[in-house]
Amino acid sequence: MKILRTKPIEQSLADSNEPGRRLKRSLSTWDLMIMGIAVAVGAGIFSVGAKAAANFAGPAVTVSFAVAAIACALAIMCYAEFATAIPVAGSAYVFTYATMGELLAWIIGWNLILELFTAAAVVAKYWGLYLSKVFSLVGLTIPPSIHLGGLELVWGPFLIVSIFTVLLVLGTKLSARVGNFFTIIKIAVVLFVIVVGFMYLKAENYAPFIPAEVPSHAADATAVLKQSLFAFATGAAPAQYGLFGVFAGAALVFFAFIGFDVVATSAEEVKNPQKTLPRGIFAGLGAVTILYILVSLALTGMVPYTTLAAAEQPTLTTAFEAVGNTDAAKVIAFGSLVGLTTVIMVLLMGFARVVLAMSRDGLLPRALSVTSDKRSTPARLQILCGVLVALVAGLTQVDVLEEMINIGTLSAFVVVSLGVIVLRRRRPDLKPSFRVPFGKVLPIVSALLCLYLMTNLAVETWIYFAGWLVVGLVIYFAYGQRNSRLNDRFAEARAAVAANDPVSVASRES
């Protein structure tokens, strides 16, 4: 069946060197580590952790971060094994195409587009809001939006997306250098938050560490949609906190770890990927996990979780304002702005690289995969991605789809984790420089843990996700399947077999 055909690994490697569609290898271990930190230390550490503590886990949000980090680490091990075996752009999409067939590869690629496009737009939206907040803190009153006819345009996202789109067109290495500069600044801000936050720490704020489960106070119809799929499927009444709240918090803060699968999409632009990729990804993940746990300890030790829950939009700033330190709140606002800046850059790059890989294979228009002769960057595609992200971030309420980022990421993690087992069985001749330890055990645990985290996302998120998949399947069967480059290769293979078949030759000669 066409939908089950796989793409040979050798062909993926050959396609990455196709003239006019190749990328330049320029990234080092340091670049990858900073890239992971750059995309992860942003909205997650400044806002999502506070939201998870306020609404789901209480002080046990630290455990939520640890669970999310374990799930991410297990999945990233699988990514590292794949990436060292198939070091090309496209990440989970390419890995799935080589192991589980074209249809599932399309679905994963489509989900990665969901993750990266939505994440870039959501973060760009937040960047515009934080920019307005920074202006107000220094005494400037600049409206965050302007009116164009009947449309309200938030101009901040347009500004930041435009800047980084230009940088990415000029070159990945240049963008990485700019990202390194901003990342060092925001790490300094995070360390400031940790040090100052621990000065206000009170042990009693950690009790109870896991708050008792309480019924949700939302209206009935809303409560059903907002509760987790797991609770809905098991018939549990909508509730907050408790042990299940810790896992619901983990599903939410998983947003803070999305950067590391994005780093894997840059495999084709990495020098010596067999060694550089695993080192860069795991070093970044380790640093980010330590920072997240320390920040969450400071956050929940400064004020009771009930203080965070009383805020309409709880953030780190909420905690510092509650203890009367408004100067720290200003630093956090600035850090949030800087933090989100580099997140946007890496997400825009990852978004373009996934579309590049899919268009190379013909599942999306081939014209999108053309790269610049001078800089070896997908200039026209990067500009298109930037325009789409800027329009959605500037003109829509895209932030309501925040959890869609998590479900897209987790679905890819599940498939990549299982794909490692398939790859080993189908291609035992491959010797990637990194292999997930303990045989099949860790990949299976990774898949199950990610799947469980998916079930802890809200019912409405699953409804939106189902709609996204339906749209994707329509596009695949209407365009992708017919235009896949594997059609040509299978046709050539059948022609070659027919030419060498004695029966076919005899029939033609007669």
Side-chain angles (χ1 to χ4, degrees), residues 53 56-64 203-212 241-243 246 296-297 300-301 305:
F56 296 103
V61 69
T62 302
V63 179
S64 297
E204 58 266 28
N205 289 334
Y206 293 122
F209 188 67
I210 301 179
Y241 309 121
L243 183 60
V246 175
S296 64
L297 285 171
T300 53
Y305 74 93

Side-chain angles (χ1 to χ4, degrees), residues 488-508:
D488 298 334
R489 295 185 181 119
F490 273 85
E492 291 170 2
R494 286 193 296 270
V497 171
N500 294 320
D501 186 353
V503 176
S504 298
V505 172
S507 64
R508 288 198 300 270

Side-chain angles (χ1 to χ4, degrees), residues 69-123:
I70 292 170
C72 185
L74 291 174
I76 290 304
M77 286 185 189
C78 301
Y79 269 83
E81 179 167 337
F82 262 121
T84 54
I86 319 173
V88 300
S91 183
Y93 159 74
V94 173
F95 308 154
T96 308
Y97 212 163
T99 54
M100 298 187 179
E102 185 172 277
L103 177 59
L104 193 54
W106 165 267
I107 291 173
I108 292 302
W110 188 242
N111 288 350
L112 287 175
I113 290 174
L114 168 69
E115 170 201 345
L116 297 170
F117 173 56
T118 308
V122 168
V123 174

Side-chain angles (χ1 to χ4, degrees), residues 115 152 201 234 335 380 458 510:
E115 170 201 345
E152 183 180 5
L201 190 147
T234 56
R380 67 173 68 172
S510 63

Side-chain angles (χ1 to χ4, degrees), residues 37-237:
I37 296 173
V39 73
V41 180
I45 202 166
F46 291 116
S47 61
V48 177
K51 184 178 178 181
N55 300 327
F56 296 103
V61 69
T62 302
V63 179
S64 297
F65 272 113
V67 171
I70 292 170
C72 185
L74 291 174
I76 290 304
M77 286 185 189
C78 301
Y79 269 83
E81 179 167 337
F82 262 121
T84 54
I86 319 173
V88 300
S91 183
Y93 159 74
V94 173
F95 308 154
T96 308
Y97 212 163
T99 54
M100 298 187 179
E102 185 172 277
L103 177 59
L104 193 54
W106 165 267
I107 291 173
I108 292 302
W110 188 242
N111 288 350
L112 287 175
I113 290 174
L114 168 69
E115 170 201 345
L116 297 170
F117 173 56
T118 308
V122 168
V123 174
K125 185 87 168 186
Y126 281 136
W127 190 92
L129 296 176
Y130 273 111
L131 181 63
S132 298
K133 189 166 187 176
V134 169
F135 282 149
S136 66
L137 288 173
V138 297
L140 295 176
T141 303
I142 300 177
S145 61
I146 57 177
H147 291 275
L148 299 174
L151 295 176
E152 183 180 5
L153 170 67
V154 182
W155 59 268
F158 270 84
L159 174 64
I160 192 62
V161 171
S162 299
I163 291 172
F164 278 112
T165 297
V166 171
L167 284 173
L168 288 166
V169 168
L170 292 176
T172 304
K173 186 65 176 180
L174 173 62
S175 304
R177 287 173 179 168
V178 174
N180 292 351
F181 172 74
F182 281 109
T183 300
I184 290 171
I185 292 175
K186 69 178 176 182
I187 289 175
V189 173
V190 170
L191 292 175
F192 167 83
V193 168
I194 293 169
V195 172
V196 176
F198 270 88
M199 293 180 180
Y200 295 95
L201 190 147
K202 294 181 180 179
E204 58 266 28
N205 289 334
Y206 293 122
F209 188 67
I210 301 179
E213 184 177 291
V214 297
S216 172
H217 297 297
D220 292 341
T222 305
V224 171
L225 292 176
K226 296 294 183 182
Q227 70 176 324
S228 71
L229 180 68
F230 181 84
F232 177 79
T234 56

Side-chain angles (χ1 to χ4, degrees), residues 74 78 417 421 424 436-448:
L74 291 174
C78 301
S417 299
I421 300 172
R424 292 174 180 176
V436 182
F438 303 110
K440 300 177 182 178
V441 175
L442 288 187
I444 292 174
V445 171
S446 172
L448 292 175

